[in-house]
Amino acid sequence: MKETVNHPDHYNQGKFEVIDVIEDWDLGFCLGNAIKYVGRAGHKGKDREVEDLKKALWYIERRIQQLNGSD
């Protein structure tokens, strides 16, 4: 039976689970979400890859706005 809540397949590519990297690197909310979406891009189906990359970009742009004091 596939694990769809705690360890879904699209979060487990390669040696590391995305959440472990986000926590280890202390990325915070926006950058953590960007890494999450980049890490799973293309693994939930090729038709969703562009959508996940756009979501990652949104979070990166939001973090840039925060750093520039525009948020």
Side-chain angles (χ1 to χ4, degrees), residues 3-70:
E3 172 58 65
T4 59
V5 175
N6 296 311
H7 303 285
D9 289 343
H10 58 272
Y11 283 178
N12 294 289
Q13 303 300 319
K15 295 180 184 179
F16 308 103
E17 191 168 343
V18 174
I19 194 168
D20 294 328
V21 172
I22 292 167
E23 290 175 348
D24 186 62
W25 293 357
D26 196 27
L27 292 177
F29 187 78
C30 287
L31 294 181
N33 274 308
I35 294 297
K36 174 183 73 174
Y37 284 116
V38 167
R40 73 183 191 186
H43 297 288
K44 295 188 319 183
K46 290 294 178 186
D47 58 322
R48 307 270 309 269
E49 185 171 6
V50 171
E51 179 183 322
D52 280 339
L53 293 174
K54 286 181 179 180
K55 289 177 182 180
L57 182 58
W58 187 91
Y59 280 105
I60 292 168
E61 289 173 342
R62 182 165 177 84
R63 182 61 183 144
I64 290 169
Q65 289 174 353
Q66 291 172 341
L67 293 170
N68 286 332
S70 354

